[in-house]
Amino acid sequence: MNALVIGAGGAGNIHVRELARRGHVVRILDLDPERARALAESVGFAPVAAVGNDEGDYDLAVVAVPANAHRAVVERQHALGRAVVCEKPLALYPEDAAAIAALPRVYVAESQCYGGDDGLHIARRARALRLLEHPVIWHIVAMTTYRPQAWCNNLSIGGGAFLEGGVHMLTTARVLFGEAVAWSGAVRCFSGGDAPDSGTILVEYERGDMLSLSIYWGTEGCFTGDCAPLAGQAGFIDRERVEAWWPADNHTAMWGHLLTCLAGEAEPVATTAHAAGAVADVWRCYEAAGVRRP
């Protein structure tokens, strides 16, 4: 398969390596040609090269640019007749995410959307939850010292921690619980940007289920002592503790199953419609917390 990876940053680096190690022909496109060239040269174990534009006979385009550019890039690649894998979040704003979700042969690069241990775990849990006669609450605390690139904390480019990181859980929650019906939140900006990086959002679903999602992103020392949650993986659904939703090799598991989806041999656990709904959920919670679009 010939693949074009658009964006040579952190996410693009992962996708290039995952595709290349499986023997696919990969070309890299970035606004900074030197960065694309450096990434291509660093791989070294499969035919990988930097290109000057997106012209060529590509079967697949992987979009790994900031969220505010997703719709334009995805729509162009789709119009060129390629299957498209788009990094999460699906887009910066709900209407753009919905437009992407309406396109055939477009997939979102979220590790929990596909098979492997994490994706199948979600599918099993969704089936089990449907057998319960009462609503459940999923509470998760994601605390990390991770400090993303500056654009992530720009509300008009990356959308902040809940859009960049929270869509993982919000997409999963839509698989587990269905449509969201109520949104609230209290969020703050501590990292110098104008996009929330810390706080809690609450989303309620049609059956009465609820997701309580707390994120503390790049803010060391928010918790001390025995109450400190495990970074990025402390959570409960109903009364059952939930282990980490994605294993250490989450991108390897994701691409392993995603390639079967691209070949028409399987279906993702979560769809682009779930991912678009997660983007809308973030903005509903932001608005409830007093955060307005730029």
Side-chain angles (χ1 to χ4, degrees), residues 180-195:
V181 297
W183 304 262
S184 57
V187 296
R188 297 290 184 273
C189 307
F190 289 124
S191 297
D194 63 351

Side-chain angles (χ1 to χ4, degrees), residues 167-184:
V167 290
H168 280 298
M169 286 72 81
L170 288 159
T171 299
T172 303
R174 281 181 164 261
V175 176
L176 298 177
F177 305 138
E179 285 294 317
V181 297
W183 304 262
S184 57

Side-chain angles (χ1 to χ4, degrees), residues 13-32:
N13 189 302
I14 292 169
H15 300 314
V16 166
R17 293 175 186 280
E18 286 295 334
L19 286 165
R21 75 181 190 83
R22 290 173 167 84
H24 298 290
V25 176
V26 182
R27 298 292 179 263
I28 307 165
L29 176 63
D30 193 272
L31 290 176
D32 181 350

